Amino acid sequence: MPAVTVPVAVRWSDMDAYGHVNNTDFLRYTEQARVEALAVVKAGADTGTLVVRHEIEYRVPLEYTAAGVLVDIWVTRLGGAGFDLGYEVATTHTGERVVHAVSASTMVMYSFSRGAPRRIDEAERAVLGSMAGPPVVFRRGGR
């Protein structure tokens, strides 16, 4: 399923008073994976991607691990100016894969000089299309 798997470090400071990684840090993990995975989309100096929406579902608490997490990321929908990403945040340090959270983001290509979304060009569409995968399945509600 994953088009790209990005290892992300877990910092000791990510832990909260309950002894597990704070929920807000999962957004940082997906952001880091997204930045690395989308680096292959060569946008010009005037253009970039913006997050329009983000949804996350926590599955299993994550305790600190020096091994970090693996964030799988893939494209679930490709539109005219926007696209959706799916993520799984997992660990494998116990010998088995444990999914701690699933997440989805809606992104839009953006022109900073115009201050408006712009269409995905052919080269970007080819790269994003090569990362295609299934929609994220949330337990309740969601997509």
Side-chain angles (χ1 to χ4, degrees):
M1 169 188 25
V4 179
T5 299
V6 179
V8 177
V10 174
R11 302 173 305 183
W12 183 256
S13 62
D14 295 348
M15 302 287 285
D16 64 16
Y18 299 109
H20 55 72
V21 171
N22 188 282
N23 64 309
T24 60
D25 286 298
F26 282 85
L27 292 174
R28 185 179 59 79
Y29 301 156
T30 59
E31 175 189 41
Q32 184 172 338
R34 182 174 62 250
V35 168
E36 289 186 34
L38 295 184
V40 296
V41 178
K42 303 294 185 197
D46 173 56
T47 191
T49 57
L50 296 180
V51 176
V52 176
R53 180 176 187 278
H54 195 74
E55 182 174 359
I56 190 164
E57 178 179 281
Y58 303 96
R59 299 266 173 99
V60 177
L62 173 62
E63 296 177 352
Y64 174 80
T65 171
V69 294
L70 299 174
V71 180
D72 294 338
I73 182 171
W74 64 97
V75 175
T76 64
R77 181 193 64 83
L78 194 51
F83 57 99
D84 293 345
L85 296 171
Y87 313 82
E88 281 189 354
V89 179
T91 55
T92 58
H93 66 277
T94 61
E96 68 178 76
R97 181 178 170 84
V98 176
V99 175
H100 297 276
V102 295
S103 184
S105 297
T106 299
M107 310 295 295
V108 67
M109 298 304 286
Y110 196 79
S111 167
F112 294 107
S113 63
R114 289 188 11 242
R118 67 162 181 81
R119 296 196 60 81
I120 299 168
D121 69 31
E122 289 183 32
E124 294 163 340
R125 186 169 299 281
V127 171
L128 293 169
S130 72
M131 298 171 64
V136 176
V137 176
F138 293 100
R139 291 183 180 153
R140 295 190 317 160
R143 300 179 220 183

